PDB file of all heavy atoms in Angstrom:
ATOM      1  N   SER I 268      22.275  -9.147   6.714  1.00 98.00           N
ATOM      2  CA  SER I 268      23.630  -9.703   6.648  1.00 98.00           C
ATOM      3  C   SER I 268      24.295  -9.152   5.396  1.00 98.00           C
ATOM      4  O   SER I 268      23.783  -8.222   4.777  1.00 98.00           O
ATOM      5  CB  SER I 268      23.565 -11.232   6.576  1.00 98.00           C
ATOM      6  OG  SER I 268      23.092 -11.622   5.284  1.00 98.00           O
ATOM      7  N   ALA I 289      15.717 -18.281  -1.400  1.00 98.00           N
ATOM      8  CA  ALA I 289      16.671 -17.328  -0.832  1.00 98.00           C
ATOM      9  C   ALA I 289      17.263 -17.882   0.457  1.00 98.00           C
ATOM     10  O   ALA I 289      18.474 -17.804   0.693  1.00 98.00           O
ATOM     11  CB  ALA I 289      15.986 -15.984  -0.561  1.00 98.00           C
ATOM     12  N   MET I 290      16.414 -18.465   1.294  1.00 98.00           N
ATOM     13  CA  MET I 290      16.921 -19.062   2.542  1.00 98.00           C
ATOM     14  C   MET I 290      17.887 -20.200   2.231  1.00 98.00           C
ATOM     15  O   MET I 290      18.934 -20.341   2.860  1.00 98.00           O
ATOM     16  CB  MET I 290      15.760 -19.570   3.404  1.00 98.00           C
ATOM     17  CG  MET I 290      14.915 -18.452   3.987  1.00 98.00           C
ATOM     18  SD  MET I 290      13.676 -19.086   5.166  1.00 98.00           S
ATOM     19  CE  MET I 290      14.717 -19.418   6.608  1.00 98.00           C
ATOM     20  N   GLN I 291      17.536 -20.993   1.225  1.00 98.00           N
ATOM     21  CA  GLN I 291      18.427 -22.102   0.854  1.00 98.00           C
ATOM     22  C   GLN I 291      19.778 -21.582   0.358  1.00 98.00           C
ATOM     23  O   GLN I 291      20.832 -22.116   0.721  1.00 98.00           O
ATOM     24  CB  GLN I 291      17.755 -22.969  -0.207  1.00 98.00           C
ATOM     25  CG  GLN I 291      18.676 -24.055  -0.732  1.00 98.00           C
ATOM     26  CD  GLN I 291      17.941 -25.290  -1.217  1.00 98.00           C
ATOM     27  OE1 GLN I 291      16.721 -25.309  -1.338  1.00 98.00           O
ATOM     28  NE2 GLN I 291      18.714 -26.348  -1.490  1.00 98.00           N
ATOM     29  N   ALA I 292      19.740 -20.513  -0.457  1.00 98.00           N
ATOM     30  CA  ALA I 292      20.994 -19.945  -0.962  1.00 98.00           C
ATOM     31  C   ALA I 292      21.835 -19.368   0.178  1.00 98.00           C
ATOM     32  O   ALA I 292      23.061 -19.463   0.182  1.00 98.00           O
ATOM     33  CB  ALA I 292      20.689 -18.854  -1.994  1.00 98.00           C
ATOM     34  N   ARG I 293      21.165 -18.772   1.142  1.00 98.00           N
ATOM     35  CA  ARG I 293      21.888 -18.139   2.252  1.00 98.00           C
ATOM     36  C   ARG I 293      22.476 -19.170   3.204  1.00 98.00           C
ATOM     37  O   ARG I 293      23.577 -19.011   3.710  1.00 98.00           O
ATOM     38  CB  ARG I 293      20.922 -17.229   3.005  1.00 98.00           C
ATOM     39  CG  ARG I 293      21.372 -16.768   4.386  1.00 98.00           C
ATOM     40  CD  ARG I 293      21.924 -15.379   4.383  1.00 98.00           C
ATOM     41  NE  ARG I 293      22.048 -14.852   5.726  1.00 98.00           N
ATOM     42  CZ  ARG I 293      23.164 -14.907   6.464  1.00 98.00           C
ATOM     43  NH1 ARG I 293      24.257 -15.499   5.995  1.00 98.00           N
ATOM     44  NH2 ARG I 293      23.187 -14.377   7.676  1.00 98.00           N
ATOM     45  N   TRP I 294      21.744 -20.264   3.494  1.00 98.00           N
ATOM     46  CA  TRP I 294      22.152 -21.183   4.563  1.00 98.00           C
ATOM     47  C   TRP I 294      22.619 -22.538   4.060  1.00 98.00           C
ATOM     48  O   TRP I 294      23.089 -23.371   4.842  1.00 98.00           O
ATOM     49  CB  TRP I 294      20.994 -21.361   5.558  1.00 98.00           C
ATOM     50  CG  TRP I 294      20.553 -20.059   6.164  1.00 98.00           C
ATOM     51  CD1 TRP I 294      19.458 -19.329   5.827  1.00 98.00           C
ATOM     52  CD2 TRP I 294      21.227 -19.297   7.189  1.00 98.00           C
ATOM     53  NE1 TRP I 294      19.393 -18.171   6.568  1.00 98.00           N
ATOM     54  CE2 TRP I 294      20.470 -18.122   7.422  1.00 98.00           C
ATOM     55  CE3 TRP I 294      22.403 -19.499   7.936  1.00 98.00           C
ATOM     56  CZ2 TRP I 294      20.847 -17.154   8.357  1.00 98.00           C
ATOM     57  CZ3 TRP I 294      22.769 -18.535   8.878  1.00 98.00           C
ATOM     58  CH2 TRP I 294      22.002 -17.375   9.078  1.00 98.00           C
ATOM     59  N   GLY I 295      22.457 -22.780   2.757  1.00 98.00           N
ATOM     60  CA  GLY I 295      23.025 -23.993   2.174  1.00 98.00           C
ATOM     61  C   GLY I 295      22.165 -25.233   2.287  1.00 98.00           C
ATOM     62  O   GLY I 295      22.534 -26.295   1.755  1.00 98.00           O
ATOM     63  N   VAL I 296      21.037 -25.155   2.955  1.00 98.00           N
ATOM     64  CA  VAL I 296      20.106 -26.283   3.037  1.00 98.00           C
ATOM     65  C   VAL I 296      18.690 -25.754   2.836  1.00 98.00           C
ATOM     66  O   VAL I 296      18.438 -24.560   3.043  1.00 98.00           O
ATOM     67  CB  VAL I 296      20.180 -27.023   4.399  1.00 98.00           C
ATOM     68  CG1 VAL I 296      21.508 -27.750   4.571  1.00 98.00           C
ATOM     69  CG2 VAL I 296      19.940 -26.045   5.548  1.00 98.00           C
ATOM     70  N   PRO I 297      17.753 -26.625   2.438  1.00 97.00           N
ATOM     71  CA  PRO I 297      16.366 -26.158   2.308  1.00 97.00           C
ATOM     72  C   PRO I 297      15.843 -25.627   3.650  1.00 97.00           C
ATOM     73  O   PRO I 297      16.211 -26.159   4.710  1.00 97.00           O
ATOM     74  CB  PRO I 297      15.603 -27.422   1.892  1.00 97.00           C
ATOM     75  CG  PRO I 297      16.637 -28.324   1.307  1.00 97.00           C
ATOM     76  CD  PRO I 297      17.912 -28.044   2.045  1.00 97.00           C
ATOM     77  N   ALA I 298      15.004 -24.603   3.572  1.00 97.00           N
ATOM     78  CA  ALA I 298      14.500 -23.953   4.789  1.00 97.00           C
ATOM     79  C   ALA I 298      13.914 -24.949   5.770  1.00 97.00           C
ATOM     80  O   ALA I 298      14.134 -24.852   6.983  1.00 97.00           O
ATOM     81  CB  ALA I 298      13.465 -22.886   4.403  1.00 97.00           C
ATOM     82  N   GLU I 299      13.177 -25.930   5.259  1.00 96.00           N
ATOM     83  CA  GLU I 299      12.486 -26.845   6.178  1.00 96.00           C
ATOM     84  C   GLU I 299      13.461 -27.748   6.938  1.00 96.00           C
ATOM     85  O   GLU I 299      13.075 -28.389   7.911  1.00 96.00           O
ATOM     86  CB  GLU I 299      11.422 -27.683   5.450  1.00 96.00           C
ATOM     87  CG  GLU I 299      11.945 -28.653   4.424  1.00 96.00           C
ATOM     88  CD  GLU I 299      11.990 -28.063   3.011  1.00 96.00           C
ATOM     89  OE1 GLU I 299      12.071 -26.810   2.893  1.00 96.00           O
ATOM     90  OE2 GLU I 299      11.947 -28.846   2.040  1.00 96.00           O
ATOM     91  N   GLU I 300      14.724 -27.771   6.510  1.00 97.00           N
ATOM     92  CA  GLU I 300      15.713 -28.581   7.235  1.00 97.00           C
ATOM     93  C   GLU I 300      16.443 -27.782   8.309  1.00 97.00           C
ATOM     94  O   GLU I 300      17.250 -28.330   9.066  1.00 97.00           O
ATOM     95  CB  GLU I 300      16.729 -29.172   6.246  1.00 97.00           C
ATOM     96  CG  GLU I 300      16.098 -30.208   5.328  1.00 97.00           C
ATOM     97  CD  GLU I 300      17.084 -30.780   4.324  1.00 97.00           C
ATOM     98  OE1 GLU I 300      18.317 -30.632   4.525  1.00 97.00           O
ATOM     99  OE2 GLU I 300      16.619 -31.362   3.326  1.00 97.00           O
ATOM    100  N   LEU I 301      16.195 -26.467   8.366  1.00 98.00           N
ATOM    101  CA  LEU I 301      16.826 -25.647   9.404  1.00 98.00           C
ATOM    102  C   LEU I 301      16.054 -25.828  10.708  1.00 98.00           C
ATOM    103  O   LEU I 301      14.835 -25.633  10.737  1.00 98.00           O
ATOM    104  CB  LEU I 301      16.810 -24.174   8.995  1.00 98.00           C
ATOM    105  CG  LEU I 301      17.666 -23.809   7.774  1.00 98.00           C
ATOM    106  CD1 LEU I 301      17.253 -22.451   7.213  1.00 98.00           C
ATOM    107  CD2 LEU I 301      19.148 -23.800   8.150  1.00 98.00           C
ATOM    108  N   PRO I 302      16.734 -26.178  11.801  1.00 97.00           N
ATOM    109  CA  PRO I 302      16.006 -26.398  13.061  1.00 97.00           C
ATOM    110  C   PRO I 302      15.384 -25.097  13.576  1.00 97.00           C
ATOM    111  O   PRO I 302      15.876 -24.013  13.270  1.00 97.00           O
ATOM    112  CB  PRO I 302      17.097 -26.898  14.016  1.00 97.00           C
ATOM    113  CG  PRO I 302      18.387 -26.511  13.398  1.00 97.00           C
ATOM    114  CD  PRO I 302      18.174 -26.407  11.915  1.00 97.00           C
ATOM    115  N   PRO I 303      14.323 -25.193  14.365  1.00 97.00           N
ATOM    116  CA  PRO I 303      13.599 -23.998  14.823  1.00 97.00           C
ATOM    117  C   PRO I 303      14.474 -23.011  15.600  1.00 97.00           C
ATOM    118  O   PRO I 303      14.160 -21.821  15.628  1.00 97.00           O
ATOM    119  CB  PRO I 303      12.503 -24.571  15.735  1.00 97.00           C
ATOM    120  CG  PRO I 303      12.299 -25.963  15.258  1.00 97.00           C
ATOM    121  CD  PRO I 303      13.633 -26.437  14.753  1.00 97.00           C
ATOM    122  N   ASP I 304      15.557 -23.467  16.223  1.00 97.00           N
ATOM    123  CA  ASP I 304      16.395 -22.540  16.976  1.00 97.00           C
ATOM    124  C   ASP I 304      17.560 -21.998  16.137  1.00 97.00           C
ATOM    125  O   ASP I 304      18.449 -21.342  16.663  1.00 97.00           O
ATOM    126  CB  ASP I 304      16.912 -23.210  18.262  1.00 97.00           C
ATOM    127  CG  ASP I 304      17.744 -24.451  17.957  1.00 97.00           C
ATOM    128  OD1 ASP I 304      17.785 -24.877  16.767  1.00 97.00           O
ATOM    129  OD2 ASP I 304      18.350 -25.013  18.892  1.00 97.00           O
ATOM    130  N   HIS I 305      17.550 -22.289  14.848  1.00 98.00           N
ATOM    131  CA  HIS I 305      18.616 -21.770  13.982  1.00 98.00           C
ATOM    132  C   HIS I 305      18.422 -20.252  13.796  1.00 98.00           C
ATOM    133  O   HIS I 305      17.290 -19.790  13.649  1.00 98.00           O
ATOM    134  CB  HIS I 305      18.541 -22.491  12.629  1.00 98.00           C
ATOM    135  CG  HIS I 305      19.753 -22.263  11.771  1.00 98.00           C
ATOM    136  ND1 HIS I 305      19.977 -21.081  11.098  1.00 98.00           N
ATOM    137  CD2 HIS I 305      20.813 -23.065  11.491  1.00 98.00           C
ATOM    138  CE1 HIS I 305      21.121 -21.169  10.432  1.00 98.00           C
ATOM    139  NE2 HIS I 305      21.651 -22.365  10.653  1.00 98.00           N
ATOM    140  N   PRO I 306      19.533 -19.474  13.800  1.00 98.00           N
ATOM    141  CA  PRO I 306      19.399 -18.012  13.634  1.00 98.00           C
ATOM    142  C   PRO I 306      18.754 -17.599  12.317  1.00 98.00           C
ATOM    143  O   PRO I 306      18.294 -16.458  12.176  1.00 98.00           O
ATOM    144  CB  PRO I 306      20.844 -17.503  13.720  1.00 98.00           C
ATOM    145  CG  PRO I 306      21.725 -18.709  13.620  1.00 98.00           C
ATOM    146  CD  PRO I 306      20.924 -19.890  14.069  1.00 98.00           C
ATOM    147  N   ALA I 307      18.694 -18.510  11.362  1.00 98.00           N
ATOM    148  CA  ALA I 307      18.025 -18.220  10.094  1.00 98.00           C
ATOM    149  C   ALA I 307      16.598 -17.733  10.305  1.00 98.00           C
ATOM    150  O   ALA I 307      16.111 -16.864   9.575  1.00 98.00           O
ATOM    151  CB  ALA I 307      18.012 -19.473   9.215  1.00 98.00           C
ATOM    152  N   TRP I 308      15.923 -18.267  11.306  1.00 98.00           N
ATOM    153  CA  TRP I 308      14.495 -17.944  11.460  1.00 98.00           C
ATOM    154  C   TRP I 308      14.286 -16.531  12.002  1.00 98.00           C
ATOM    155  O   TRP I 308      13.349 -15.848  11.606  1.00 98.00           O
ATOM    156  CB  TRP I 308      13.798 -19.004  12.329  1.00 98.00           C
ATOM    157  CG  TRP I 308      13.801 -20.335  11.634  1.00 98.00           C
ATOM    158  CD1 TRP I 308      14.532 -21.431  11.976  1.00 98.00           C
ATOM    159  CD2 TRP I 308      13.097 -20.667  10.432  1.00 98.00           C
ATOM    160  NE1 TRP I 308      14.322 -22.448  11.065  1.00 98.00           N
ATOM    161  CE2 TRP I 308      13.443 -22.002  10.106  1.00 98.00           C
ATOM    162  CE3 TRP I 308      12.215 -19.991   9.596  1.00 98.00           C
ATOM    163  CZ2 TRP I 308      12.935 -22.665   8.990  1.00 98.00           C
ATOM    164  CZ3 TRP I 308      11.702 -20.641   8.490  1.00 98.00           C
ATOM    165  CH2 TRP I 308      12.058 -21.959   8.191  1.00 98.00           C
ATOM    166  N   GLN I 309      15.179 -16.110  12.922  1.00 98.00           N
ATOM    167  CA  GLN I 309      15.067 -14.728  13.397  1.00 98.00           C
ATOM    168  C   GLN I 309      15.361 -13.758  12.253  1.00 98.00           C
ATOM    169  O   GLN I 309      14.701 -12.735  12.095  1.00 98.00           O
ATOM    170  CB  GLN I 309      16.023 -14.488  14.573  1.00 98.00           C
ATOM    171  CG  GLN I 309      15.856 -13.117  15.215  1.00 98.00           C
ATOM    172  CD  GLN I 309      14.456 -12.899  15.771  1.00 98.00           C
ATOM    173  OE1 GLN I 309      13.973 -13.670  16.580  1.00 98.00           O
ATOM    174  NE2 GLN I 309      13.781 -11.836  15.318  1.00 98.00           N
ATOM    175  N   GLU I 310      16.364 -14.104  11.446  1.00 98.00           N
ATOM    176  CA  GLU I 310      16.693 -13.240  10.309  1.00 98.00           C
ATOM    177  C   GLU I 310      15.531 -13.193   9.316  1.00 98.00           C
ATOM    178  O   GLU I 310      15.169 -12.122   8.803  1.00 98.00           O
ATOM    179  CB  GLU I 310      17.961 -13.768   9.634  1.00 98.00           C
ATOM    180  CG  GLU I 310      18.495 -12.828   8.575  1.00 98.00           C
ATOM    181  CD  GLU I 310      19.821 -13.325   8.006  1.00 98.00           C
ATOM    182  OE1 GLU I 310      20.816 -13.350   8.754  1.00 98.00           O
ATOM    183  OE2 GLU I 310      19.853 -13.699   6.816  1.00 98.00           O
ATOM    184  N   GLU I 311      14.945 -14.352   9.061  1.00 98.00           N
ATOM    185  CA  GLU I 311      13.776 -14.414   8.168  1.00 98.00           C
ATOM    186  C   GLU I 311      12.637 -13.547   8.716  1.00 98.00           C
ATOM    187  O   GLU I 311      11.997 -12.789   7.976  1.00 98.00           O
ATOM    188  CB  GLU I 311      13.312 -15.874   8.033  1.00 98.00           C
ATOM    189  CG  GLU I 311      12.038 -16.096   7.218  1.00 98.00           C
ATOM    190  CD  GLU I 311      12.244 -15.924   5.721  1.00 98.00           C
ATOM    191  OE1 GLU I 311      13.370 -15.600   5.295  1.00 98.00           O
ATOM    192  OE2 GLU I 311      11.254 -16.100   4.981  1.00 98.00           O
ATOM    193  N   ALA I 312      12.398 -13.644  10.015  1.00 98.00           N
ATOM    194  CA  ALA I 312      11.342 -12.833  10.636  1.00 98.00           C
ATOM    195  C   ALA I 312      11.654 -11.350  10.481  1.00 98.00           C
ATOM    196  O   ALA I 312      10.754 -10.543  10.197  1.00 98.00           O
ATOM    197  CB  ALA I 312      11.207 -13.205  12.115  1.00 98.00           C
ATOM    198  N   ASN I 313      12.910 -10.966  10.659  1.00 98.00           N
ATOM    199  CA  ASN I 313      13.278  -9.550  10.530  1.00 98.00           C
ATOM    200  C   ASN I 313      13.096  -9.055   9.096  1.00 98.00           C
ATOM    201  O   ASN I 313      12.700  -7.909   8.872  1.00 98.00           O
ATOM    202  CB  ASN I 313      14.724  -9.330  10.985  1.00 98.00           C
ATOM    203  CG  ASN I 313      14.890  -9.515  12.484  1.00 98.00           C
ATOM    204  OD1 ASN I 313      13.907  -9.523  13.227  1.00 98.00           O
ATOM    205  ND2 ASN I 313      16.121  -9.697  12.931  1.00 98.00           N
ATOM    206  N   GLN I 340       6.424 -23.593   8.509  1.00 97.00           N
ATOM    207  CA  GLN I 340       7.262 -23.726   9.707  1.00 97.00           C
ATOM    208  C   GLN I 340       6.609 -22.851  10.780  1.00 97.00           C
ATOM    209  O   GLN I 340       6.862 -21.655  10.865  1.00 97.00           O
ATOM    210  CB  GLN I 340       8.700 -23.278   9.424  1.00 97.00           C
ATOM    211  CG  GLN I 340       9.300 -23.887   8.164  1.00 97.00           C
ATOM    212  CD  GLN I 340       9.373 -25.395   8.212  1.00 97.00           C
ATOM    213  OE1 GLN I 340       9.834 -25.966   9.200  1.00 97.00           O
ATOM    214  NE2 GLN I 340       8.889 -26.068   7.169  1.00 97.00           N
ATOM    215  N   HIS I 342       6.824 -22.195  13.795  1.00 98.00           N
ATOM    216  CA  HIS I 342       7.590 -21.404  14.776  1.00 98.00           C
ATOM    217  C   HIS I 342       7.960 -20.040  14.221  1.00 98.00           C
ATOM    218  O   HIS I 342       8.391 -19.158  14.971  1.00 98.00           O
ATOM    219  CB  HIS I 342       8.852 -22.164  15.198  1.00 98.00           C
ATOM    220  CG  HIS I 342       9.694 -22.582  14.019  1.00 98.00           C
ATOM    221  ND1 HIS I 342      10.655 -21.760  13.466  1.00 98.00           N
ATOM    222  CD2 HIS I 342       9.689 -23.709  13.269  1.00 98.00           C
ATOM    223  CE1 HIS I 342      11.209 -22.382  12.442  1.00 98.00           C
ATOM    224  NE2 HIS I 342      10.636 -23.568  12.295  1.00 98.00           N
ATOM    225  N   LEU I 343       7.799 -19.822  12.914  1.00 98.00           N
ATOM    226  CA  LEU I 343       8.186 -18.548  12.309  1.00 98.00           C
ATOM    227  C   LEU I 343       7.195 -17.426  12.636  1.00 98.00           C
ATOM    228  O   LEU I 343       7.600 -16.278  12.884  1.00 98.00           O
ATOM    229  CB  LEU I 343       8.325 -18.726  10.790  1.00 98.00           C
ATOM    230  CG  LEU I 343       8.624 -17.467   9.962  1.00 98.00           C
ATOM    231  CD1 LEU I 343       9.917 -16.781  10.424  1.00 98.00           C
ATOM    232  CD2 LEU I 343       8.732 -17.833   8.464  1.00 98.00           C
ATOM    233  N   LEU I 346       7.698 -15.202  15.701  1.00 98.00           N
ATOM    234  CA  LEU I 346       8.890 -14.354  15.518  1.00 98.00           C
ATOM    235  C   LEU I 346       8.566 -13.161  14.625  1.00 98.00           C
ATOM    236  O   LEU I 346       9.062 -12.049  14.852  1.00 98.00           O
ATOM    237  CB  LEU I 346      10.037 -15.168  14.892  1.00 98.00           C
ATOM    238  CG  LEU I 346      10.596 -16.340  15.686  1.00 98.00           C
ATOM    239  CD1 LEU I 346      11.687 -17.051  14.879  1.00 98.00           C
ATOM    240  CD2 LEU I 346      11.148 -15.873  17.029  1.00 98.00           C
TER     241      LEU I 346
END
Side-chain angles (χ1 to χ4, degrees):
Chain I
S268 72
M290 291 187 76
Q291 174 152 10
R293 165 100 166 94
W294 302 102
V296 292
E299 65 267 25
E300 292 179 17
L301 294 163
D304 60 352
H305 193 284
W308 295 109
Q309 186 60 56
E310 188 175 293
E311 176 74 358
N313 291 344
Q340 311 299 312
H342 54 87
L343 175 58
L346 297 178

